[in-house]
């Protein structure tokens, strides 16, 4: 390959472009003061310390963690049995289920929000502005990812045959699911759980439109801080990105481990 | 048959929570949106007014046009840059390749509010680059305004590139090295190879990727909202402020705009699906 240098140059440019905004945010988070000079005049970890003492930040972090965990747990509790039952016992409904879970993938958050606000800001179930509307909406937007992961896991372990075998050996339906299929698919599901979690953690559109300041999540907090203190918001952005990084690192590891090529066969 | 009938009820009961949740938070809201887009503001009579307003009122046609232009520009630039980068990535040794792809995927998490803020640090009025160029006596950025539509395109391109790489990268593996050698033996140069063999092979993948990028930009809300707030006239922002705004709420009109946006997104997804089918067929041959 004589043109190697050219390709490396392109990649270098790409990396510079992709990493520059991140680097700038990191610099800003570590800068003591950075007003009219090209580089900061001093370095400090003060902003991170301020952040950790900011009750408002810690509360918003707690809210984010709560709403993401609730949504993912709800999705797990509902979607694992649903997809399992449809795959094994009602294959005719698979197409319908697929259409239902794929729809949120095609529609942007702002479209999803319109109807939700219409229904839930008044009427018999006025939950707009509370944690619950967000959990419901989040349940819907992670459907495509949860479905994909659960479906693949079921396919990998041959859930249909596994169920048949268990029932043949005298297990009831519930036993076949809980004691045979579930333990086998759990590792495969971990990847979609983490992915869903990191998507929800960075979600802004629905949070802003459905609850806004009434239930301040980390993203909302970040948005509100943007105009007040640049350094503080950079610190939030970096902390957030670090968190996502750890999650995706875990994801990658797990992905390799779950989808590793089997030794036998 | 008897067996299935006997078990159907407990199984259906187990699926009930899903039906309930999907109905309450997906189907009914979408139906409500569709219905209210056809409803008069005072009362519930059927009307097409909101669609007429959406497509004729200069304020809203401007929003649609702005969104489409930004989507078009950011997708074309993102696709071109992404293709160039994806091709270079395929030419690298495997260890480097994986690492680059990982970084590219990782940065796709850096979107929305934090991304907008990072660009303010770099290119805002007191941004790093603005100051550097001023210091060098090169006021090239004086013309540039981050909070305008060129600024938006630049920021959108940032999240389009990793997506373009992710989607285009596999299609390059459809182009076999042997074909290149064969065309070379028959006297074709690099330009001719790409013009007559490479690009036609990549074309369906490009169209599919373009439609995804376009849809992605049309539906983007967080980045624009954080950068320009409600000031800039974009379709997604208009929908948001018409339905959840503080001052001027017209949910029926917002619904009509949202239905139009949803239709555009579904169309883009459908095009992508068709094109990807073709890519897979070509790859399988």
């Amino acid at each position: 390959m004589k043109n190697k240098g050219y390709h490396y140059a392109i990649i270098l440019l790409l990396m510079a472009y992709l990493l520059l905004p991140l680097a700038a945010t990191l610099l800003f988070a570590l800068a003591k003061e950075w007003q009219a000079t090209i580089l900061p005049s001093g370095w400090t970890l003060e902003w991170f310390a301020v952040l950790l003492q900011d009750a408002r930040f810690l509360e918003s972090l707690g809210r984010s963690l709560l709403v993401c965990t609730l949504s993912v747990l709800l999705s797990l509790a509902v979607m694992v049995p649903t997809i399992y039952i449809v795959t094994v016992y009602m294959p005719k409904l698979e197409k319908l289920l697929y259409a239902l879970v794929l729809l949120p993938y095609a529609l942007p958050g702002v479209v999803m929000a319109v109807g939700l606000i219409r229904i839930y800001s008044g009427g018999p179930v006025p939950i707009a502005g509370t944690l619950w509307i967000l959990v419901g909406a989040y349940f819907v937007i992670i459907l495509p990812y949860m479905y994909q992961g659960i479906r693949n896991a079921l396919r990998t372990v041959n859930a249909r045959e596994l169920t048949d075998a268990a029932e043949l050996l005298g297990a009831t339906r519930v036993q076949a699911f809980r004691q045979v299929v579930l333990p086998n698919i759990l590792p495969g599901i971990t990847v979609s759980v983490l992915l869903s979690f990191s998507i929800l953690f960075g979600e802004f559109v629905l949070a802003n439109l459905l609850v806004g300041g009434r239930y301040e999540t980390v993203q909302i907090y970040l948005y509100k801080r943007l105009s007040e203190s640049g350094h503080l918001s950079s610190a939030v952005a970096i902390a957030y990105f670090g968190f996502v990084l750890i999650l995706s690192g875990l994801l990658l590891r797990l992905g390799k481990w779950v989808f590793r090529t089997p030794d036998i066969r | 048959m008897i067996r299935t009938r006997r078990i159907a009820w407990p199984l259906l009961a187990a699926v009930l929570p899903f039906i309930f949740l999907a109905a309450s938070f997906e189907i009914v809201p979408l139906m409500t949106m569709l219905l209210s887009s056809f409803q008069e503001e005072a009362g519930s009579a059927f009307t097409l007014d909101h669609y007429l307003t959406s497509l004729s009122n200069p304020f809203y046609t401007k929003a649609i046009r702005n969104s489409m232009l930004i989507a078009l520009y950011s997708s074309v630039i993102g696709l071109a840059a992404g293709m160039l980068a994806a091709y270079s990535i395929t030419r690298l040794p495997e260890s480097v390749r994986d690492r680059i792809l990982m970084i590219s995927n990782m940065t796709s998490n850096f979107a929305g509010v934090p991304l907008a803020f990072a660009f303010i640090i770099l290119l805002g009025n007191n941004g790093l680059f603005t100051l550097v160029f001023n210091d060098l006596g090169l006021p090239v950025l004086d013309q540039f305004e981050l909070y305008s539509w060129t600024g938006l395109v630049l920021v959108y391109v940032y999240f389009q590139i990793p997506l373009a790489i992710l989607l285009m990268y596999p299609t390059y593996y459809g182009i076999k090295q042997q074909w290149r050698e064969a065309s070379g033996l028959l006297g074709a140069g690099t330009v001719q190879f790409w013009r007559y063999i490479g690009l036609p092979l990549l074309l369906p993948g490009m169209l599919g990727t373009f439609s995804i990028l376009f849809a992605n930009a049309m539906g983007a809300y967080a980045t624009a909202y954080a950068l320009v707030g409600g000031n800039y006239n974009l379709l997604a922002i208009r929908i948001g402020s018409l339905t959840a705004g503080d001052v001027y709420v017209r949910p029926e009109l917002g619904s009509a705009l949202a239905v139009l946006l949803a239709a555009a997104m579904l169309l883009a997804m459908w095009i992508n699906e068709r094109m990807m089918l073709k890519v897979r067929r070509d790859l399988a041959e």
Side-chain angles (χ1 to χ4, degrees), chain A residues 4 7-8 11 17-18 20 25 38 79 82 85 100 103 106 115 118-120 173 208 226 230 234 244-245, chain B residues 7 14 18 24 26-27 29 32 88-89 91 93 100 106 109 117-118 128-129 135 154 158 221 225 252 265:
Chain A
K4 268 263 145 88
H7 292 302
Y8 274 108
I11 296 299
Y17 184 66
L18 290 182
L20 208 61
T25 313
I38 287 171
M79 292 318 287
T82 301
I85 288 171
L100 276 178
L103 201 57
R118 275 300 262 169
I119 297 180
Y120 296 111
R173 280 172 203 293
N208 185 43
L226 221 60
S234 319
V244 171
L245 216 64
Chain B
I7 49 94
F18 169 71
S24 338
E26 184 182 3
I27 303 306
T32 309
S88 290
I89 293 174
R91 306 269 101 193
I100 300 290
M106 204 184 71
N109 283 315
F117 182 65
L128 177 60
F129 280 112
D135 260 32
L154 189 79
Y158 183 88
Y221 172 90
Y225 186 80
E252 290 83 6
M265 304 289 282

Side-chain angles (χ1 to χ4, degrees), chain B residues 162-175:
Chain B
L163 190 60
I165 293 178
L166 187 75
L167 294 170
M168 283 308 293
Y169 179 73
T171 56
Y172 280 107
Y173 282 95
I175 300 174

Side-chain angles (χ1 to χ4, degrees), chain A residues 1 4 6-8 10-11 14-15 17-22 24-25 27-28 34-39 74 78-79 81-82 85-86 89-90 93 97-120 127 132-133 135-137 139-140 143 164 167 173 198 204-205 208-209 219 222-223 226 229-231 233-234 237 240-241 244-245 248 252, chain B residues 3-4 6-8 11-12 14-15 17-18 21-22 24-30 32-33 36 39 84-85 87-89 91-93 96 100 102-104 106-107 109-111 113-122 126 128-129 131-132 135 154-155 157-158 161-162 165 177 212 219-222 225-226 229 236-237 239-241 243-244 251-252 254-255 258 261-262 265-266 269 273:
Chain A
M1 299 273 138
K4 268 263 145 88
Y6 158 79
H7 292 302
Y8 274 108
I10 296 262
I11 296 299
L14 172 76
M15 287 294 113
Y17 184 66
L18 290 182
L19 294 178
L20 208 61
L22 264 174
T25 313
L27 278 188
F28 212 84
W34 197 3
Q35 279 297 319
T37 50
I38 287 171
L39 281 178
L74 180 69
V78 172
M79 292 318 287
T82 301
I85 288 171
V86 169
Y89 299 107
M90 310 172 175
L93 296 180
L97 180 64
Y98 186 64
L100 276 178
V101 301
L102 210 65
L103 201 57
Y105 182 71
L107 298 179
V110 68
V111 170
M112 303 292 303
V114 171
L116 287 168
I117 295 170
R118 275 300 262 169
I119 297 180
Y120 296 111
I127 51 172
W132 303 111
I133 193 171
V135 170
F139 170 83
V140 171
L143 277 177
D164 280 347
E167 286 182 12
R173 280 172 203 293
S198 71
F204 174 76
V205 186
N208 185 43
L209 292 175
Q219 290 283 322
L222 181 60
Y223 175 72
L226 221 60
S229 165
H231 295 289
S233 20
S234 319
Y240 157 74
F241 194 69
V244 171
L245 216 64
S248 39
L252 208 73
Chain B
R3 185 173 171 245
T4 35
R6 192 169 55 83
I7 49 94
L11 287 181
L12 271 180
V15 184
F18 169 71
L21 284 168
S24 338
F25 293 102
E26 184 182 3
I27 303 306
V28 177
L30 288 176
T32 309
M33 173 184 83
S36 75
Q39 255 169 24
L84 211 64
Y87 179 65
S88 290
I89 293 174
R91 306 269 101 193
L92 296 177
V96 188
I100 300 290
M102 205 186 77
I103 296 177
S104 159
M106 204 184 71
T107 50
N109 283 315
F110 196 58
V113 185
L115 179 66
F117 182 65
F119 271 87
I120 295 174
I121 299 176
L122 286 175
N126 256 337
L128 177 60
F129 280 112
L131 292 176
V132 169
D135 260 32
L154 189 79
V155 183
V157 165
Y158 183 88
I161 288 180
I165 293 178
Q177 189 61 33
I212 290 281
Y221 172 90
Y225 186 80
I237 298 219
I239 295 172
S241 56
T243 42
E252 290 83 6
S255 297
L261 178 59
M265 304 289 282
L266 290 175
M269 290 288 165
E273 197 80 358

